[in-house]
Amino acid sequence: MNSTRWLIVMLLFVATGLSFLDRQVLSIAIIKIQEELSISDVEYGMINTSFLISYAVMFTLGGWLIDKVGGKTGLALSVGVWSIANCLHGLVANVTQLIAFRFLLGVGEGGCFPGAAKTVYEWFDKKERAMANGIAIGGAAIGAVIAPPLTIWLADLYGWRGGFIVPGAIGLVWVVVWLLVPWKNKQKKNTPKLLPVAPKPNAVPFGKLLKNKEVWVFIAIRFLLDPVFYFLMFWIPKYLSEVRNVSFERIGNLFWIPFLALGVANIIGGWLSDRLIKHDFSINKARKTIMGAAAALTLVAPMIEWVDSVEVAIALMSVFMFAHGFWITNYITAISDMFGQRATSSVVGLSGTAGAVAGLLLNPLMGLIIQNYSYRPLWIASGMLYPLAFLLLVLAIPKIRAVYGEESLIVEPIVLK
């Protein structure tokens, strides 16, 4: 049973890695796709928007649906749908088909992280759940790291279409392996029948959450900042090609570096925050100290446009992504600090949907700015928005503290006679 649990975690690691890999293949392959299918920058923005529409909807609905069918079935459906969609990308003949298959990719991927969290909860108790979640979600950064060189390599072997079909086929193999894993409820193991079980806390209704000021602050922050992350994910390979004159092959050797910085920062950012608390910082001061440092680091973004060296530009992008890793880890942790087990998933879901909506609204605008002007305004905005978001956090939430008291959920021990 113990080995099965960790096998499941490693399969989750692969699933989240495939999720980020599959969504990022297009940002590399678009350089070749535009040459073959004559897709404009505005149309590329619409393609990204198609993904974000379905992803935004499923970010909130995915968790609810997976709660209904369970982690095993829910994730099998999720990975299966997006893997089929990814394979279909390799068969497109026009921009309309690409928009449709991108939408289907978002439908599948929207359930990935809710499904991973649900599965970890089903198999791990609170003493191991954080570590298991860290491993499971950590696959996303690795997927982002290997996507550029893998896509370039597959494109050299099989053409750009192979960059979609091969990872999609791997996802379908993953589904088969996932369904073959024996699935039992670990929580039922070694549970004495006579011991009382604490009642499951009721989730806070969405209506009540939407009346909470702090919820809207977290939603607004994600709405402001997610488009910046989508800009880095979707547009940087084109920026390196068009502005920096970097070859298609060399992009694969460079683009993974900022995402490696992101993966490292996700871990270090959480570790530093916890260390500060152990050194008598309050939760409020610890989270905001790391997020403030992250916001300060993002001010390097406008410099990317003015440096001459490609290597220096990649280094500055890596600093920016490192800062984002610090920020997002403590942002999500701050949500859990405030909303606890009764509402954390709901607030993360609402804020994630808000971020995806912002991304889908602004991606076509990014295409217009790039096509008619340059990348410069986007780099400047990227450097300004994190400090603005931090200022909003500090002013609107003076103290990070529990909104829905978790202490009310503690059940007094019952002595069995």
Side-chain angles (χ1 to χ4, degrees):
M1 178 66 72
N2 189 57
S3 60
T4 300
R5 293 189 305 145
W6 293 106
L7 171 61
I8 287 171
V9 168
M10 293 313 300
L11 286 172
L12 292 174
F13 177 89
V14 174
T16 58
L18 285 171
S19 170
F20 260 61
L21 190 158
D22 289 353
R23 78 178 67 174
Q24 199 173 343
V25 169
L26 181 64
S27 66
I28 308 293
I30 190 63
I31 298 167
K32 296 293 186 182
I33 295 173
Q34 282 187 307
E35 294 175 1
E36 184 174 324
L37 302 182
S38 301
I39 295 174
S40 70
D41 284 342
V42 173
E43 287 173 327
Y44 178 51
M46 292 171 61
I47 291 165
N48 289 328
T49 297
S50 175
F51 167 82
L52 291 171
I53 288 173
S54 56
Y55 187 68
V57 172
M58 290 305 296
F59 208 107
T60 295
L61 289 182
W64 178 80
L65 291 171
I66 287 171
D67 275 338
K68 295 292 184 183
V69 301
K72 185 173 186 178
T73 302
L75 261 180
L77 289 170
S78 179
V79 179
V81 168
W82 95 59
S83 296
I84 291 170
N86 209 44
C87 290
L88 291 172
H89 280 58
L91 305 177
V92 297
N94 54 58
V95 67
T96 302
Q97 292 175 356
L98 195 51
I99 289 172
F101 297 150
R102 206 68 187 163
F103 184 89
L104 185 61
L105 185 77
V107 170
E109 290 210 4
C112 179
F113 290 96
K118 170 74 171 178
T119 302
V120 168
Y121 185 85
E122 288 177 347
W123 282 86
F124 290 86
D125 62 25
K126 61 184 180 182
K127 295 179 180 179
E128 296 177 308
R129 196 172 294 145
M131 183 172 135
N133 266 318
I135 295 172
I137 297 172
I142 301 303
V145 166
I146 68 175
L150 179 64
T151 302
I152 299 294
W153 180 67
L154 290 173
D156 286 341
L157 288 177
Y158 309 112
W160 63 263
R161 297 177 186 275
F164 293 102
I165 294 172
V166 173
I170 292 172
L172 294 175
V173 172
W174 182 96
V175 172
V176 174
V177 175
W178 178 255
L179 291 174
L180 289 175
V181 173
W183 201 270
K184 295 180 181 178
N185 190 340
K186 186 262 177 188
Q187 293 179 349
K188 293 180 181 178
K189 181 184 177 184
N190 297 329
T191 302
K193 294 182 179 180
L194 296 179
L195 291 180
V197 178
K200 181 180 178 180
N202 294 324
V204 179
F206 274 108
K208 185 175 181 180
L209 284 176
L210 293 177
K211 295 177 182 178
N212 188 297
K213 181 194 77 172
E214 287 88 351
V215 171
W216 284 103
V217 173
F218 284 111
I219 288 174
I221 288 172
R222 197 75 183 262
F223 190 88
L224 277 175
L225 299 184
D226 269 27
V228 178
F229 185 73
Y230 289 125
F231 164 61
L232 290 165
M233 228 178 150
F234 295 150
W235 292 94
I236 298 312
K238 281 175 57 59
Y239 167 79
L240 293 173
S241 175
E242 295 170 358
V243 178
R244 296 285 178 175
N245 297 315
V246 179
S247 69
F248 182 67
E249 290 73 22
R250 194 175 178 218
I251 289 172
N253 295 327
L254 293 174
F255 191 43
W256 63 271
I257 298 173
F259 287 94
L260 178 62
L262 169 63
V264 171
N266 281 332
I267 299 169
I268 295 178
W271 178 80
L272 279 176
S273 184
D274 287 344
R275 291 292 296 175
L276 291 177
I277 292 172
K278 290 178 181 177
H279 285 80
D280 298 326
F281 276 56
S282 66
I283 288 177
N284 178 70
K285 187 176 180 182
R287 308 300 184 222
K288 288 180 179 176
T289 296
I290 303 300
M291 294 175 80
L297 280 175
T298 63
L299 291 170
V300 306
M303 296 170 57
I304 294 169
E305 182 69 14
W306 277 275
V307 297
D308 293 327
S309 167
V310 172
E311 290 77 14
V312 174
I314 290 293
L316 291 174
M317 291 178 198
S318 300
V319 171
F320 187 91
M321 292 293 268
F322 190 87
H324 177 74
F326 270 34
W327 176 277
I328 196 65
T329 297
N330 284 275
Y331 166 88
I332 291 175
T333 306
I335 289 177
S336 65
D337 293 332
M338 295 195 70
F339 298 99
Q341 59 181 320
R342 295 183 63 201
T344 293
S345 295
S346 296
V347 178
V348 170
L350 286 167
S351 63
T353 294
V357 168
L360 70 88
L361 291 175
L362 293 178
N363 250 285
L365 178 60
M366 291 179 194
L368 282 171
I369 292 171
I370 291 166
Q371 183 170 282
N372 298 322
Y373 185 59
S374 73
Y375 286 83
R376 184 170 298 175
L378 301 177
W379 287 120
I380 293 172
S382 297
M384 297 295 104
L385 285 174
Y386 281 80
L388 177 62
F390 181 67
L391 183 63
L392 173 62
L393 175 70
V394 171
L395 294 179
I397 304 180
K399 184 177 181 181
I400 295 172
R401 84 287 183 262
V403 174
Y404 303 110
E406 294 292 301
E407 67 276 2
S408 64
L409 302 175
I410 299 175
V411 177
E412 293 295 326
I414 300 174
V415 178
L416 299 179
K417 297 181 181 179

